[in-house]
Amino acid sequence: MEVCYQLPVLPLDRPVPKHVLSRRGAISFSSSSSLFGAPDPRQLSQRRGAISYDSSDQTALYIRMLGDVRVRSQVGFEPERRSSHQYLCIDFRTLHARLGCGTAEGGSAPERRVHRLLSFQRYLHSSRLLRGLPQQIPLHILDEDYTGQARCMLEKVGNWNFDIFLFNKLTNGNSLINLTFHLLNQYGLIELFQLDMVKLWRFLVMVQEDYHNDNPYHNAVHAADVTQAMYCFLQEPMLSKSLTSCDILLGLLAAATHDLDHPGVNQPFLIKTNHYLATLYRNTSVLENHHWKSAVGLLRETGLFSHLPPEDSRNMEADLGSLILATDISRQNDYLSRFRRHLDQDDLCLSNASHRHFVLQMALKCADICNPCRPWELSKQWSEKVTEEFFQQGDIEKKHKLEISPVCDRASNTVGNIQIGFMTYVAEPLFVEWARFSDTRLSQTMLGHMGLNKASWGSLQQEQSSAGEETGPGAANVDDTAARRDGTGHVATGGNGSKEIPQGSRGC
């Protein structure tokens, strides 16, 4: 069935509920402000991250306290422990921008340390507005040609070759908001769960804001791409006839928030720099736990599920966390072994809630690393972006004399050898098992694209090797390095305790 609708615009022409006007953040929903309106400066002191500073919400208060030593000391928490390493006095959120610059003047440093990771995107946005800088043009005042093309693309959102980069341009950088809203609306979930339109729109705007757009790979466009892939998997016959509306809602929300507030560095980096998040989550699924808690914070701040019975709301938050935690690449073998066991024994029963949830976890894992299964034109872009993010982390580690993480040294790695290793040891085993579970045209298309993309990277590697031999012996060892890494499976694990190595190709 063809679904057409006008892309939503926040309904500011009608009275806004009081709970919306109480928003303490970079987005002000009052009759005198636009969707991206400037905040009241008086409110900023009460706003510390994506979670409302409300003493009646102990979970929210606890998460917010992570970012402000002064708040923690007031409620009996110890200040975050920092080692003596020179790196730890630097806010890694600004390292990419400062990499080539000298140390900032001392006068502004204390102010920078006050603001925490969780709200950094919105803090930057609000500070620009307070300084009078021009704000981004909202989607609803773009040229109608662009919004019309975006709506046409959404009519084919279930196609595996959906170009998320083009869609992001047509929506003026708001691909995650518009795609997720469209899918929720298409499934009828907004009406079924009686979701308040204003709360939902605020939630999606805040989710998109809390992705770091200066990350080459782990940004809102990646989240939108994973959400679109998740939708494709939800449409597969094995799932579409078995999943409940609640399963679908959780699957789409988990895809949209699975990398929320990703800092652009991996888990080993946070651990070896003694970052407070690594300490909080005891070096276990550090980033995934942070993504989950950040998503819960936004759900509670917007009150998206506040109309549901408290027990149902808590269960949805827990299930959302279970899905997001499954994307931890360091636990890949555990999930894959369990999946194989179920398939070998043919005992997956999708009428069983726990089995449905496990299949959702596997679907999200596939969506998260499906880039090697996209068509070459899309897959190559993702491969270059994720590799650049690795190399940026390696540059930071080199600058601050830290041990350079695997696949992060641009001097000894190429996009091709990283991608070939990732496909061989991570992506291919997962998608082969997924094809066993759901043997459809889409599954075969994904495997076909992966094979073609792998061959394409191999050809590029050979061309680079030949060019290196012609120009001199210095560049001739690239393939040897790739062979050693591929042969040992180094790229597959890479010491990364997080989903930091996604790449791929293919479509249907």
Side-chain angles (χ1 to χ4, degrees):
M1 181 179 67
E2 203 174 65
V3 178
C4 294
Y5 72 104
Q6 178 70 34
L7 288 176
V9 176
L10 191 67
L12 296 177
D13 56 345
R14 65 181 184 185
V16 182
K18 292 182 179 179
H19 65 275
V20 176
L21 296 177
S22 65
R23 164 94 166 103
R24 302 184 181 95
I27 306 174
S28 173
F29 286 86
S30 66
S31 58
S32 61
S33 66
S34 67
L35 176 61
F36 296 96
D40 185 342
R42 294 171 298 180
Q43 296 173 344
L44 294 180
S45 62
Q46 297 297 320
R47 167 111 181 131
R48 306 180 195 279
I51 301 167
S52 298
Y53 185 24
D54 182 357
S55 58
S56 65
D57 187 341
Q58 294 301 314
T59 302
L61 178 62
Y62 176 65
I63 299 175
R64 185 178 296 287
M65 287 186 304
L66 298 177
D68 196 322
V69 175
R70 296 174 304 171
V71 178
R72 278 176 288 174
S73 62
Q74 292 172 9
V75 293
F77 279 78
E78 296 181 11
E80 62 183 82
R81 295 185 176 89
R82 293 180 179 269
S83 75
S84 58
H85 198 286
Q86 59 174 340
Y87 172 77
L88 298 181
C89 63
I90 301 173
D91 187 342
F92 65 74
R93 298 167 304 188
T94 61
L95 277 174
H96 297 329
R98 295 169 53 190
L99 200 53
C101 305
T103 305
E105 296 181 4
S108 61
E111 295 179 5
R112 255 198 309 274
R113 286 197 293 270
V114 169
H115 303 285
R116 60 177 302 256
L117 171 67
L118 191 59
S119 64
F120 190 59
Q121 287 296 99
R122 262 172 287 142
Y123 160 65
L124 286 180
H125 183 70
S126 63
S127 64
R128 292 191 190 105
L129 295 176
L130 291 174
R131 294 197 305 269
L133 298 182
Q135 58 187 11
Q136 188 179 35
I137 302 174
L139 174 64
H140 59 273
I141 63 173
L142 286 178
D143 191 294
E144 182 64 24
D145 288 343
Y146 284 88
T147 56
Q149 292 179 62
R151 284 195 295 271
C152 288
M153 286 194 69
L154 286 175
E155 294 175 4
K156 300 180 180 180
V157 70
N159 290 353
W160 186 245
N161 59 355
F162 187 87
D163 189 341
I164 196 65
F165 298 110
L166 174 59
F167 183 72
N168 193 60
K169 291 178 181 178
L170 295 176
T171 56
N172 195 35
N174 292 307
S175 57
L176 182 58
I177 298 173
N178 289 280
L179 178 71
T180 308
F181 186 94
H182 172 80
L183 295 178
L184 294 175
N185 183 63
Q186 180 168 290
Y187 273 112
L189 298 174
I190 299 175
E191 181 178 0
L192 181 63
F193 287 91
Q194 298 181 330
L195 301 178
D196 183 277
M197 293 287 286
V198 174
K199 292 180 179 179
L200 175 60
W201 192 255
R202 287 182 59 218
F203 172 77
L204 294 177
V205 168
M206 293 165 71
V207 166
Q208 181 171 280
E209 282 189 330
D210 273 1
Y211 278 95
H212 297 207
N213 291 328
D214 55 348
N215 289 344
Y217 181 81
H218 289 102
N219 50 42
V221 182
H222 165 65
D225 183 62
V226 172
T227 304
Q228 189 272 336
M230 188 66 170
Y231 172 71
C232 292
F233 297 145
L234 295 178
Q235 292 293 297
E236 292 286 78
M238 290 288 289
L239 280 74
S240 63
K241 65 183 181 182
S242 304
L243 296 179
T244 66
S245 297
C246 186
D247 295 330
I248 296 172
L249 175 63
L250 287 171
L252 294 175
L253 291 182
T257 61
H258 80 285
D259 272 334
L260 192 61
D261 199 39
H262 197 292
V265 294
N266 60 19
Q267 173 174 288
F269 183 91
L270 298 180
I271 292 174
K272 67 187 176 185
T273 55
N274 295 328
H275 192 269
Y276 73 86
L277 287 175
T279 303
L280 173 65
Y281 298 116
R282 301 182 180 182
N283 300 342
T284 303
S285 298
V286 175
L287 286 170
E288 289 71 29
N289 272 297
H290 179 58
H291 304 324
W292 168 34
K293 296 300 184 182
S294 299
V296 169
L298 295 185
L299 286 172
R300 295 187 180 186
E301 181 168 356
T302 59
L304 185 61
F305 294 151
S306 60
H307 61 290
L308 301 177
E311 183 177 359
D312 291 346
S313 181
R314 287 193 298 269
N315 288 339
M316 293 186 76
E317 291 175 356
D319 289 342
L320 182 69
S322 178
L323 291 174
I324 294 175
L325 289 173
T327 62
D328 185 350
I329 204 70
S330 69
R331 301 177 62 193
Q332 175 89 348
N333 289 336
D334 295 338
Y335 282 94
L336 193 55
S337 297
R338 181 182 170 191
F339 197 34
R340 283 193 183 117
R341 200 159 49 244
H342 278 302
L343 295 176
D344 291 341
Q345 298 173 1
D346 194 23
D347 62 354
L348 273 176
C349 178
L350 297 186
S351 62
N352 182 303
S354 63
H355 284 195
R356 286 200 311 274
H357 187 75
F358 175 67
V359 169
L360 267 183
Q361 290 176 316
M362 298 307 299
L364 183 57
K365 287 178 67 64
C366 289
D368 188 28
I369 62 171
C370 72
N371 302 149
C373 304
R374 296 284 192 180
W376 171 252
E377 295 76 13
L378 300 176
S379 177
K380 184 173 183 290
Q381 292 184 67
W382 285 122
S383 298
E384 292 168 347
K385 289 176 181 295
V386 77
T387 305
E388 180 56 30
E389 189 166 300
F390 294 156
F391 289 166
Q392 284 188 3
Q393 176 178 322
D395 293 343
I396 295 170
E397 292 168 330
K398 186 180 298 184
K399 178 180 176 64
H400 297 283
K401 296 180 172 55
L402 299 170
E403 180 184 358
I404 300 179
S405 301
V407 308
C408 292
D409 189 350
R410 68 172 73 241
S412 60
N413 291 282
T414 65
V415 179
N417 68 48
I418 292 174
Q419 291 312 304
I420 291 173
F422 179 78
M423 293 183 201
T424 302
Y425 298 105
V426 180
E428 192 170 15
L430 177 62
F431 284 96
V432 165
E433 298 305 320
W434 181 260
R436 286 180 61 197
F437 166 71
S438 178
D439 187 9
T440 64
R441 180 187 175 189
L442 174 59
S443 296
Q444 296 306 316
T445 296
M446 291 190 296
L447 289 175
H449 278 308
M450 190 184 304
L452 292 174
N453 293 335
K454 190 174 179 181
S456 296
W457 283 119
S459 298
L460 289 176
Q461 286 289 96
Q462 290 181 352
E463 292 176 6
Q464 292 173 357
S465 178
S466 299
E469 291 174 356
E470 293 176 1
T471 56
N477 292 327
V478 172
D479 270 14
D480 292 339
T481 302
R484 288 196 300 272
R485 295 175 68 82
D486 292 348
T488 59
H490 196 191
V491 173
T493 56
N496 289 343
S498 169
K499 44 190 172 305
E500 306 297 331
I501 317 183
Q503 262 9 356
S505 58
R506 162 129 221 170
C508 78

